[in-house]
Amino acid sequence: MLDTIIVIDTSRFFYKIDSLNKFSDFREVFRKNSSIIYRELSNRIVISIRGLEDKQNEIYLNNVKLNNSIWGFFYANVLPLNLISYSRVTFNDYRLNFEISKNREIGVFIGSYNKFSLYYKNEFFGFERTYNENNYRYWDSFNREYQRKNNFEDKIGGFFNFKNLNVIFYNGKFGMPLRGYGNEGNDFEIYRGLIFSYKNYYFNYQFYRYNYENPYESYILNLYYLEAIFSNMEALHKRLIFKLPLKQIGHFSIILDENNFQFDYKFSKLFKYHNILSEISLKRRIPNFSELYYKSNYAIGNQNLNPENFYTLQVNYKPVSVFITYIQNLILWIPDGSYWKAQNLNYLLLYGLEINHHYKFSELSISYIKNKLSDNMILPYRPNLTISISINYNFSSFLKDKLVFIYYSKRPSYYYPSSFYLEPILIIDYYKFFEFKKFFIYIYFKNLLNKSYEFIKGYPMESFSLNIKGGLKW
């Protein structure tokens, strides 16, 4: 159903987000669930579930883990987004899995400020070509207003399916986000990836390069119980993981990392009493290669880091959820003399209340999440309160409208409560969907109020834009 975007499974703690390819990008859909994403760096989609760091969330495509072994994070918009149909979010694991759709469809997307995408897909193969620019409102010293280019994304991607063998590829060049007002910059980043998967086995190759510096590459071979990771950051780094699945409760892993033995785990147990669900989960995260070995003129890794330990309790009654997560030995990059250095902090405490409800012609998502770091610190750029309201109106079986209101409370810009706070944001988007037999046209009016706003200081977001997507399904 086009109107039903967020589907809540009442027997497990997960949310299935449908109809992703009916929108112009993931941002519009994820905003509809206030706990999933609220941090954006212009064209980059930085996924954050319940306020965690992006490296602490697990991002998958067709059950293949995408988190880069060097940096730990993955920008979702690197993927061929028009070929993806839905996403499943498992909150207790802080996990999000994208699924490639295999329905037959051909379409084109055009939008304000040189946005263009062309794609085709069926059950055997799919292909996408996309070019996007992001513009923002800028005022000069004479208070004259301009529309200026912030950054761009230029990418191709696709997939092939042959019986149980699946191949996914992506290649993109991304302009670096704006670094302060009035500075355009010519920096860019290149991302490439190639995934081969067969049943429970896969090979995942990732390439990253900043401008014309030496590239970073990662090779991941997963043979279900065994995973081998190789990465070339400054030097060759390797990690072998032996995973022991434990039926219904999680897994335990033994890790050989640079000749040192470590271990990690993920356990969870669900309890049900009438309509009340509760779940306890435990997991551990081993530091990634950049946290251990990175070295530059401004940042340095730390080979003495301890793993992060996660302890989560959540309770759900119909549309209402409450949760609390305690993270021991949280790893953060914080200033240390003339360098930023990866360091362990004693703890991070996250707790909150979530409401996600769908009723006839409307959808409501409210998230109130607080965080507290040791040493009287807080995680920056997390709003305490996020509200999303969607109002749907069906003129007929083939003509539907959607009006979306998204509100973010003020957000600190640094680790201390006394830091500068970004102003609250109210964004209004309007969508018109037309579907008749095999033909469809979707029209998007984004940022109707033409608000000038930021999710992260120094990275202004796009002003009002008009976007159109159309095509055929069969």
Side-chain angles (χ1 to χ4, degrees):
M1 294 291 292
L2 178 61
D3 295 341
T4 304
I5 304 299
I6 299 174
V7 182
I8 304 174
D9 189 305
T10 56
S11 62
R12 294 290 295 175
F13 280 100
F14 79 79
Y15 292 69
K16 179 182 176 184
I17 305 176
D18 284 331
S19 308
L20 290 183
N21 58 340
K22 295 183 184 300
F23 293 81
S24 57
D25 66 40
F26 281 114
R27 280 167 274 228
E28 299 154 35
V29 183
F30 284 136
R31 284 175 186 161
K32 294 169 62 57
N33 186 301
S34 55
S35 299
I36 295 176
I37 182 170
Y38 48 77
R39 292 194 298 145
E40 303 178 46
L41 286 76
S42 302
N43 274 336
R44 301 178 181 191
I45 301 176
V46 182
I47 293 177
S48 178
I49 300 174
R50 285 180 172 169
L52 285 184
E53 292 284 283
D54 41 22
K55 64 187 178 184
Q56 295 164 331
N57 301 283
E58 297 182 2
I59 311 301
Y60 291 77
L61 176 63
N62 288 6
N63 295 312
V64 175
K65 191 172 182 179
L66 297 175
N67 295 65
N68 187 285
S69 57
I70 297 177
W71 306 107
F73 58 79
F74 186 84
Y75 289 124
N77 56 317
V78 171
L79 300 173
L81 303 183
N82 287 298
L83 307 182
I84 294 173
S85 59
Y86 71 88
S87 176
R88 174 181 171 127
V89 182
T90 311
F91 282 120
N92 67 315
D93 289 339
Y94 295 96
R95 169 177 171 150
L96 189 150
N97 183 49
F98 296 118
E99 289 287 341
I100 294 277
S101 63
K102 298 178 181 179
N103 55 302
R104 299 177 180 180
E105 184 176 331
I106 186 171
V108 63
F109 168 80
I110 57 175
S112 303
Y113 316 121
N114 299 322
K115 291 183 173 62
F116 173 80
S117 185
L118 177 67
Y119 67 95
Y120 172 81
K121 57 184 175 180
N122 59 32
E123 59 270 35
F124 301 109
F125 72 93
F127 179 81
E128 176 188 309
R129 174 71 173 89
T130 295
Y131 181 83
N132 288 330
E133 291 183 2
N134 187 10
N135 284 256
Y136 67 97
R137 299 168 68 190
Y138 167 74
W139 289 267
D140 65 10
S141 57
F142 298 99
N143 204 31
R144 294 176 297 191
E145 182 179 339
Y146 296 93
Q147 294 282 352
R148 296 187 64 179
K149 178 179 173 181
N150 189 340
N151 66 353
F152 67 90
E153 58 181 14
D154 187 1
K155 63 181 183 179
I156 61 173
F159 68 88
F160 301 93
N161 295 317
F162 181 73
K163 294 184 177 180
N164 291 319
L165 176 64
N166 300 295
V167 180
I168 302 169
F169 67 92
Y170 54 88
N171 179 58
K173 182 178 179 180
F174 297 81
M176 293 288 285
L178 184 73
R179 302 297 174 89
Y181 292 103
N183 298 317
E184 296 280 351
N186 297 311
D187 294 345
F188 63 86
E189 296 175 327
I190 293 176
Y191 293 90
R192 294 173 187 155
L194 181 64
I195 299 171
F196 291 91
S197 62
Y198 179 79
K199 295 183 178 179
N200 291 321
Y201 315 116
Y202 65 81
F203 172 76
N204 182 5
Y205 167 73
Q206 294 181 335
F207 172 99
Y208 165 80
R209 188 177 75 190
Y210 169 62
N211 281 13
Y212 294 100
E213 294 183 356
N214 293 329
Y216 296 145
E217 295 178 290
S218 293
Y219 303 84
I220 302 174
L221 178 63
N222 185 291
L223 301 176
Y224 194 55
Y225 295 109
L226 172 65
E227 184 171 274
I229 302 173
F230 302 92
S231 297
N232 69 327
M233 189 189 68
E234 312 301 336
L236 178 66
H237 300 288
K238 54 189 179 296
R239 179 174 287 175
L240 295 178
I241 302 173
F242 301 90
K243 182 178 293 187
L244 177 62
L246 303 174
K247 288 185 177 180
Q248 299 182 346
I249 65 171
H251 73 261
F252 180 85
S253 299
I254 299 174
I255 301 170
L256 177 60
D257 188 3
E258 303 289 315
N259 300 317
N260 295 318
F261 278 102
Q262 301 189 68
F263 69 92
D264 75 357
Y265 54 80
K266 184 186 294 182
F267 307 125
S268 64
K269 180 63 176 177
L270 179 70
F271 304 91
K272 186 174 183 179
Y273 180 75
H274 296 293
N275 291 324
I276 300 175
L277 290 174
S278 61
E279 189 165 28
I280 299 173
S281 60
L282 314 172
K283 86 170 191 178
R284 169 179 270 207
R285 186 183 77 88
I286 302 298
N288 57 54
F289 289 146
S290 67
E291 292 169 332
L292 293 170
Y293 308 115
Y294 186 73
K295 187 175 182 180
S296 71
N297 293 329
Y298 62 90
I300 188 169
N302 182 356
Q303 297 187 36
N304 297 316
L305 290 173
N306 294 316
E308 296 176 335
N309 297 303
F310 294 70
Y311 309 93
T312 299
L313 168 66
Q314 56 183 350
V315 180
N316 173 273
Y317 178 72
K318 295 183 178 180
V320 180
S321 297
V322 294
F323 74 93
I324 182 169
T325 297
Y326 180 85
I327 305 174
Q328 182 186 36
N329 299 324
L330 179 77
I331 301 173
L332 279 183
W333 290 89
I334 58 179
D336 183 11
S338 57
Y339 288 95
W340 285 75
K341 186 176 182 180
Q343 300 187 44
N344 283 118
L345 299 184
N346 287 336
Y347 69 87
L348 167 64
L349 181 65
L350 287 164
Y351 57 94
L353 168 72
E354 300 164 336
I355 300 174
N356 289 284
H357 185 59
H358 176 84
Y359 179 75
K360 292 183 179 179
F361 60 87
S362 64
E363 297 169 57
L364 171 67
S365 180
I366 300 175
S367 174
Y368 181 80
I369 300 175
K370 295 282 288 184
N371 76 76
K372 182 180 180 181
L373 275 169
S374 52
D375 302 320
N376 295 318
M377 299 170 66
I378 53 176
L379 288 178
Y381 301 115
R382 274 70 168 179
N384 290 337
L385 178 63
T386 306
I387 301 174
S388 173
I389 301 174
S390 300
I391 300 174
N392 308 318
Y393 185 81
N394 299 340
F395 289 96
S396 66
S397 60
F398 55 84
L399 183 60
K400 305 179 182 183
D401 284 29
K402 184 183 294 289
L403 186 63
V404 181
F405 301 83
I406 306 107
Y407 171 81
Y408 301 89
S409 64
K410 65 180 183 178
R411 299 154 320 282
S413 62
Y414 200 56
Y415 294 110
Y416 296 97
S418 59
S419 64
F420 174 80
Y421 276 77
L422 298 179
E423 292 297 319
I425 303 171
L426 175 61
I427 304 169
I428 302 177
D429 297 332
Y430 175 66
Y431 309 91
K432 183 175 286 290
F433 304 100
F434 175 84
E435 292 182 321
F436 182 73
K437 295 183 177 179
K438 298 179 180 180
F439 179 71
F440 66 89
I441 293 180
Y442 310 142
I443 304 175
Y444 321 100
F445 300 89
K446 299 171 66 174
N447 193 1
L448 279 177
L449 301 180
N450 201 24
K451 289 279 189 176
S452 178
Y453 66 97
E454 300 167 307
F455 284 101
I456 295 179
K457 186 172 176 57
Y459 298 86
M461 299 304 300
E462 190 173 55
S463 52
F464 170 78
S465 65
L466 171 63
N467 308 280
I468 301 174
K469 185 176 183 178
L472 296 172
K473 300 179 180 180
W474 68 96

